[in-house]
Amino acid sequence: MAFSKRHYLGMAAGYSASDWLRHTFTMGRKKDYQALADYLSKRYEGEAVLCKNGRSALCLALKAYFKPGEAIIVNGFTCYAVYEAVKAAKLVPIWVDINKDDLNFDLTDLEKKISKDAKGIIVQNSLGNPVDMKKIEALAKKHDLTIIEDLAHSVGVRYLDGREAGTVGAAVAFSFGKEKAIDTVSGGAVVLRAPYKNEITAPTKLPKLSDHLRARFYPMLGAACRGMMVVRAGGVLMRLLVKIHWVEKSADNKLDLERKMSKFEARLALPKFKNLRKSGEPVLREFYLVQNRDEVLKKLRMARYFFDGFWYEKPVSPRRYYKRVHFPEVECPNAVFVSEHIINFPTYYQRGELTKARKIVEPYIIKDIVKEGKE
Ligand SMILES: *Cc1c(COP(=O)(O)O)cnc(C)c1O
């Protein structure tokens, strides 16, 4: 049976056959959990805490450095998970518009929106594109903002001045969720680098059995769906698995500060960190801004590329939670524009696998946006 990873998103396509076997059978021990924490503490020079997922890790960082009611600057093109972390820490988000070429803070808008209440800034390196950290640091210094680095998209990325992402901020948060830079299906971590004012407690409870099993079997279930002879049947099976909660949509993963990540995930995450140095492919997703996106997606589907699950369809995604955010669209026109025109592919696909997809996309690309550092 061919468990091809080709052409699919949202069906665990980033996992190879050996990956799902490893995922299903790896046993984790306490020492694996400790080994990952020790590695992160050393590499990012701080106190590492492993968490249930990225949003819990980010929330823990926010709780350590900020007081309820304080405001924090957030990239205006992001995942709902970030908003959830900000809310759970009882902070007020200040949404800043983005550049169309790197999907990171528009520095002019950033400077304009720094207010008296702003005490911190979450730096995200959208889809693996590094921010201009030097300028952000200068602004942070001037306005006394604490920098939190969210590396969900960008482990191993280097800033323009050569420093590695995760070596600048007061704290660094990681997500090990599906399709993230380090992907073990779920899990997260935070490294507290600077001394912090507020007391926080590391999670002590074991993961729920249901969460543990979902993380274990997702790569296998995804492979089974992708391996179905008829594409539609694979899609139907995946929807069924979501319905019966054998598979969870990433955005629905709950923030929980009490639960740890699974020990086997810690064991799988560690070599992924160690191997990053060699791989040298820090961009997480290759993105394009296109006209007539629905038509492009349809053509891609006809060529058997199922790339509908691109990041992000709303400035704060997914769509089903967008209303809760009360996102200031008028203040962030670029974020709105990008969310209406973007498509992107994960870079774990081989170059050759995407040649045809790129050909399909090419005629639709909006030309007046020059992407720096892209071919
Ligand atoms: C996915 C994501 C997170 C948190 O991820 P979890 O799903 O909670 O593991 C945090 N920040 C960004 C930018 C993300 O995309």
Side-chain angles (χ1 to χ4, degrees), residues 85 134 160 350:
K134 261 209 154 125
L160 305 178
Q350 309 276 315

Side-chain angles (χ1 to χ4, degrees), residues 4 23 43 52 62 64 95 97 106 108 143 150 153 165 192 215-216 218 224 242 273 302 334 340 347 356:
S4 166
H23 228 83
R43 176 164 171 169
K52 185 194 174 206
L62 298 176
W95 298 103
D97 203 10
D106 169 347
T108 317
H143 298 277
D150 176 357
H153 299 183
L192 305 160
R216 237 185 217 298
Y218 176 68
V242 170
F273 269 99
M302 266 151 46
N334 286 353
E340 284 165 358
T347 44
K356 207 166 138 200

Side-chain angles (χ1 to χ4, degrees), residues 168-221:
V168 179
V172 196
F174 304 87
S175 164
F176 308 138
K178 296 168 192 166
E179 309 243 324
K180 304 294 167 132
I182 303 284
D183 175 350
T184 65
V185 179
S186 65
V190 60
V191 180
L192 305 160
R193 291 164 38 82
Y196 47 93
K197 326 171 213 170
N198 311 321
E199 209 172 307
I200 49 164
T201 18
T204 51
K205 290 189 188 166
L206 291 177
K208 280 191 192 153
L209 184 62
S210 55
D211 287 326
H212 176 92
L213 293 176
R214 267 197 289 264
R216 237 185 217 298
F217 295 119
Y218 176 68
M220 183 176 64
L221 294 172

Side-chain angles (χ1 to χ4, degrees), residues 111-184:
E111 191 149 23
K112 208 168 77 192
K113 288 200 180 136
I114 296 176
S115 66
K116 280 200 311 296
D117 309 331
K119 295 288 182 268
I121 177 165
I122 301 175
V123 168
Q124 164 186 299
N125 306 311
S126 306
L127 311 190
N129 302 298
V131 296
D132 189 339
M133 188 46 110
K134 261 209 154 125
K135 289 204 181 131
I136 290 178
E137 249 184 323
L139 278 176
K141 202 166 224 171
K142 187 168 150 200
H143 298 277
D144 209 10
L145 303 173
T146 301
I147 298 176
I148 308 293
E149 291 177 273
D150 176 357
L151 300 201
H153 299 183
S154 57
V155 179
V157 161
R158 291 199 173 267
Y159 294 124
L160 305 178
D161 60 5
R163 284 178 298 174
E164 195 189 321
T167 60
V168 179
V172 196
F174 304 87
S175 164
F176 308 138
K178 296 168 192 166
E179 309 243 324
K180 304 294 167 132
I182 303 284
D183 175 350
T184 65

Side-chain angles (χ1 to χ4, degrees), residues 68-133:
E70 292 180 343
I72 185 141
I73 292 161
V74 189
N75 199 71
F77 185 70
T78 194
C79 174
Y80 183 74
V82 173
Y83 175 76
E84 245 191 302
V86 168
K87 275 284 142 184
K90 301 195 171 68
L91 304 182
V92 181
I94 300 175
W95 298 103
V96 168
D97 203 10
I98 56 166
N99 303 314
K100 289 177 190 163
D101 60 358
D102 66 3
L103 317 179
N104 291 320
F105 294 123
D106 169 347
L107 293 176
T108 317
D109 194 49
L110 172 58
E111 191 149 23
K112 208 168 77 192
K113 288 200 180 136
I114 296 176
S115 66
K116 280 200 311 296
D117 309 331
K119 295 288 182 268
I121 177 165
I122 301 175
V123 168
Q124 164 186 299
N125 306 311
S126 306
L127 311 190
N129 302 298
V131 296
D132 189 339
M133 188 46 110

